[in-house]
Amino acid sequence: MPLHKGPHEAEPDRRLALNPFYGEANPVGGMTDAPPRHRLPEGPLPPMSAYQLVHDELMLDGNSRLNLATFVTTWMEPQAGVLMAECRDKNMIDKDEYPRTAELERRCVAMLANLWHAPDPSTAVGCSTTGSSEACMLAGMALKRRWAKKNADRYPAGARPNLVMGINVQVCWEKFCTFWEVEPRLVPMEGDRFHLDPQSAAELCDENTIGVVAVLGSTFDGSYEPVAEICAALDALQERTGLDIPVHVDGASGAMVAPFVDEDLVWDFRLPRVSSINTSGHKYGLVYPGVGWALWRSPAELPEELVFRVNYLGGDMPTFALNFSRPGAQVVAQYYTFLRLGREGYRAVQQTTRDVARGIAERIEAMGDFRLLTRGDQLPVFAFTTASDVTRFDVFDVSRRLRERGWLVPAYTFPANREDLSVLRVVCRNGFSADLAGLLIEDMNLLLPELRSQSGPAIGDKKAATSFHH
C-alpha cells in the first residue's frame, strides 16, 4: 500500500473549506474553488488563505502541552522563539558565512564538556546534531572505527563487530547496527530488572565488541542504568582477559538532568572507561526540536579520518555530522538557554519537574488501581501498570479514555523477556505544571468509576490496542 494515498473521488463541498472572511478583499471572490490536496495547484493563493487552510487542518493534532508521551520540549520563553525566528534562515554548516553561530556551537560544546567533567574541557571534541539519534550514530561510528583500526588484521576478513546494550535502548541503536553492519547484542529484561545490568553486559563482550552502551534514563520507565557499575564490571573483565571495552553513555535525557539534581552520581567522563556521551538539547536541554549533542572525552577517542574540517574566522572548525544543511536556530536557542538559566536555573527547573513527577506518581498509587514500576525519582518519568486484582480494565483502556479528554498517555507492552507486562508512562517536562498535573489526576478520578464498571478490557489484542511504539 502506498505511504501517502489520497482520495480519488470528487469532493464538491471543498469549495466551502475556507472561511470567506479570510479573502483578501471581496469575501466571495476567488472562493469558487479549493486547491487540490495531492498535487500542486495551478496557481497561487493569497497568503492568508493558504495559512488558514493549513492552520485549520493542524487543529486536529493533539495538544503538545498535554502530550505526556514525548520527551521533546513543548514550551520555551517568547524571547527564545524570537531568536529562533531570527536565525532559522542561517545554515548551520556554513561556518565561514555565519561565524558567530559557529562560535555559539563551540561554546555549547565547551559548556557540556565542563558539565560532564571532561579531563580537559578545552580539548574535548564535540558537535551539534539534529538530535540524539544522529549523535548516537556518530558515537557508534567512532566506536566501530577505533575497533577496526585495532583489529585491522582480522577485519573485515572474518571478524564481525558487535555492540552490547540492553533491549530497552532507543530504536536509533538498532538502526545504527543495521546501517553500519554491527551485530546487536541485546540483554533482555528479567523480572523487575528493566534495563542493562553490569554482569550481563560483561558476559556478552568478546574480542569483537566495539563498545557497551549505557543509557542514562531509559525511555521505557525513566530509570538510570548503573553506568559506574557497568564500567567496574568491564574493568574486571579487562583484568581477567585483557579486553579493553569502551563505554558510550546515551544520555539523551539524563545527561541534562543528573548533573543538576543528582550531582553525587558518577556516570560521566569522571569514569575513564566512558569514551563518549550524547544528549538531546531538545529534551531536558529545554530547547524546541531538533538539536542534539555528541561529545568525546578527548581527540584520541574520535578517529581523525572521521573529522571534516571547515575554515572559519581564519581558524579550523572540526565537523563530524551526518546531516549537512540545517538551521542554526536550535543551536542559538541552546546557547540562549544555557546563558539564561545557568546551573542554578537548570537545577530549579529539573528539580521542579521531578517533584511534579513524583507527586503524580504518589497520587496515582493512592488510587489503589495501579502499581508503580518507577516513581519519577531519576528521570522525571514514571511507568505504572494495573494492580494484580484489577480485571475489568487494562492500561490500554486508561490510555484510550484519557485521550478523549485531550491527554496523550502512551500504553505499551515491554520487550523480551517481559512481553507479559503492559504499562502506562508519564513524561513530565518543563511547562507541565503542578496545576496541569492536578487536572490529569482529576480526569483519571472521573474515568475510574466507568472503567471499574466494565465487564472486561475493551480490546483483547494488546498489539492492536497500542498506538505507541518505542
Side-chain angles (χ1 to χ4, degrees), residues 171-284:
V171 69
C172 67
W173 287 107
E174 299 175 38
K175 290 182 179 180
F176 165 75
C177 290
T178 299
F179 296 164
W180 274 272
E181 297 182 327
V182 173
E183 175 196 353
R185 293 191 173 177
L186 302 173
V187 175
M189 297 179 175
E190 296 289 350
D192 292 331
R193 177 182 59 74
F194 304 124
H195 56 226
L196 184 64
D197 68 294
Q199 190 57 37
S200 297
E203 288 173 356
L204 285 180
C205 293
D206 59 24
E207 67 276 7
N208 295 327
T209 301
I210 65 174
V212 172
V213 175
V215 180
L216 196 71
S218 171
T219 57
F220 275 95
D221 63 359
S223 61
Y224 294 158
E225 290 188 338
V227 182
E229 289 83 351
I230 291 170
C231 288
L234 296 175
D235 289 342
L237 177 69
Q238 183 175 9
E239 290 181 9
R240 294 194 310 271
T241 65
L243 293 174
D244 185 8
I245 310 295
V247 169
H248 171 77
V249 178
D250 183 350
S253 294
M256 292 304 296
V257 173
F260 306 109
V261 293
D262 301 303
E263 293 180 83
D264 295 332
L265 181 68
V266 178
W267 62 273
D268 53 16
F269 290 129
R270 286 170 287 184
L271 299 167
R273 196 166 291 277
V274 173
S275 65
S276 51
I277 301 171
N278 71 273
T279 197
S280 292
H282 61 224
K283 292 179 181 173
Y284 289 99

Side-chain angles (χ1 to χ4, degrees), residues 127-129 134 138-139 141-142 296 302 306-308 318-322:
C127 65
S128 66
T129 63
E134 182 187 1
L138 299 179
M141 288 169 60
W296 290 261
L302 181 60
L306 295 181
V307 180
F308 295 85
T319 178
F320 179 52
L322 297 177

Side-chain angles (χ1 to χ4, degrees), residues 55-67:
H55 172 81
D56 285 357
E57 187 159 352
L58 290 176
M59 287 194 300
L60 295 174
D61 273 347
N63 185 330
S64 63
R65 292 284 298 280
L66 301 183
N67 183 358

